[in-house]
Amino acid sequence: MTVPGAIADPQWRAPIIAGLASVPVTLVLQWRSAGSYVFVPVLFAGLVVGYLFAERPPWSRRAGMRAGLVGGLALLGGGVRFVTDIPEYSFPIGLSVLTGLYTVLVVVLYIGYFGLVGGLGGLVGGWLANRIGGSRSEPVAR
């Protein structure tokens, strides 16, 4: 049995797995109302993937960004929940549609923000991989 699409591609497999692994932690932090710490799981996922992809394409930043975008999918639940609650309010129909469109825009922007945070983690992970790998000393022959 073959795996179709991006999951079969080794350049996407690790970022997808790391991004999906960050989703439950992000959801728990959202549920516990941890505020600004919600982006930490995605940052860590980007760091791990960036470390893994430091020496091969996709480069660490791009791999971290992919993990961040996948990890940002955790925000979809809250956005869908808010959009489904809009009809319960006594808004005029035009304002309800505008609120729904605005919610979709905000969720998409936050997913993009999570991608940037994952990319930052990927940069740090790639830097760490090069730093740790570069600090090994070679034997000196006398």
Side-chain angles (χ1 to χ4, degrees):
M1 185 168 122
T2 61
V3 180
I7 297 174
D9 187 7
Q11 295 179 353
W12 275 94
R13 189 177 307 130
I16 287 174
I17 292 170
L20 288 176
S22 72
V23 169
V25 180
T26 302
L27 291 174
V28 167
L29 288 175
Q30 281 180 336
W31 175 65
R32 305 253 322 156
S33 299
S36 62
Y37 298 110
V38 173
F39 69 90
V40 171
V42 172
L43 182 68
F44 184 71
L47 187 121
V48 169
V49 171
Y51 184 83
L52 294 175
F53 281 90
E55 296 295 324
R56 58 182 184 194
W59 294 273
S60 56
R61 178 185 51 85
R62 187 179 305 162
M65 191 172 291
R66 290 173 180 177
L69 289 173
V70 172
L73 296 177
L75 303 173
L76 288 178
V80 168
R81 188 175 57 238
F82 185 78
V83 168
T84 57
D85 286 344
I86 291 173
E88 294 179 10
Y89 300 112
S90 59
F91 293 147
I93 188 72
L95 188 57
S96 294
V97 169
L98 186 62
T99 304
L101 291 175
Y102 181 69
T103 302
V104 169
L105 176 67
V106 167
V107 168
V108 167
L109 288 175
Y110 266 110
I111 290 173
Y113 171 71
F114 271 46
L116 291 175
V117 168
L120 177 65
L123 277 175
V124 172
W127 177 80
L128 279 174
N130 291 331
R131 187 80 165 162
I132 292 171
S135 64
R136 295 184 194 142
S137 61
E138 296 182 21
V140 177
R142 290 190 180 202

